[in-house]
Amino acid sequence: MATAVHIRPARPADGDAIVALILPIQQQEFGIAVTREGQPDLADIDGFYRRGAGDFWLACAGERVVGSIALLDIGQGQAALRKMFVARDFRGRDHGVAQRLLDHLVAESAARGLREIFLGTTAQFLAAHRFYEKNGFSQIDRADLPAAFPVMAVDSRFYVRRPSGGAPA
């Protein structure tokens, strides 16, 4: 029997569990040379993400953090999707964790009046590319990103989604 997964806002006490989810995926699965110190947003989730329409959510199986997703308000009715990670043993359609996290973020974005969600990812995340495209994200050139979008050093592929189906800003 599968463990029930629920989505909830991240809490200050979740910091170590969030890092324990994200760092191994970045470092071991994808070989990205990134550290906890190189991601200061993880040390201050409330201060970094919970501004304007932004927020940070977790998927939890019991008390275990098995997924994360964040929304960073970048102004002008736009936001950046950040920190979407799912533990390896909770990936795939059987679990639906990634889909539930993304559906939650998209619904919250629309409810918060956001017109566009942008994201950056790496060339290695092929399954993520397919997932985003299946969920209404369109690939764009880096030059088409808003000036306020925080491009990470590892980002090489970019997407946009309009949650309410509205026209571009």
Side-chain angles (χ1 to χ4, degrees):
M1 183 172 162
T3 304
V5 174
H6 65 281
I7 310 267
R8 66 165 174 81
R11 299 178 209 137
D14 294 320
D16 288 340
I18 293 168
V19 169
L21 168 73
I22 293 173
L23 272 185
I25 294 170
Q26 293 171 319
Q27 295 172 341
Q28 296 158 19
E29 289 186 43
F30 294 101
I32 297 170
V34 65
T35 64
R36 182 180 193 155
E37 295 73 28
Q39 301 176 82
D41 57 319
L42 295 179
D44 184 16
I45 285 172
D46 283 351
F48 192 84
Y49 291 103
R50 293 198 170 115
R51 295 177 289 130
D55 215 329
F56 198 110
W57 298 277
L58 301 176
C60 299
E63 294 301 311
R64 179 181 170 206
V65 172
V66 298
S68 67
I69 195 165
L71 187 66
L72 177 66
D73 188 332
I74 59 173
Q76 310 284 324
Q78 300 171 320
L81 184 159
R82 304 277 305 261
K83 303 299 184 193
M84 183 165 188
F85 292 95
V86 176
R88 184 184 298 240
D89 56 330
F90 279 83
R91 291 182 197 154
R93 285 186 212 130
D94 292 346
H95 297 286
V97 173
Q99 190 66 59
R100 288 183 53 205
L101 282 165
L102 185 61
D103 289 348
H104 185 83
L105 179 132
V106 168
E108 287 288 335
S109 297
R112 294 170 189 215
L114 295 168
R115 295 185 328 272
E116 296 175 306
I117 304 169
F118 293 87
L119 70 89
T121 188
T122 69
Q124 300 103 298
F125 292 0
L126 299 178
H129 302 167
R130 290 188 299 276
F131 176 75
Y132 293 130
E133 290 164 5
K134 180 185 87 168
N135 280 282
F137 283 83
S138 301
Q139 188 174 355
I140 59 172
D141 291 330
R142 181 178 179 152
D144 295 326
L145 292 168
F149 182 83
V151 177
M152 306 302 293
V154 296
D155 289 345
S156 60
R157 193 164 176 150
F158 303 94
Y159 290 90
V160 64
R161 184 178 196 283
R162 293 171 182 92
S164 60

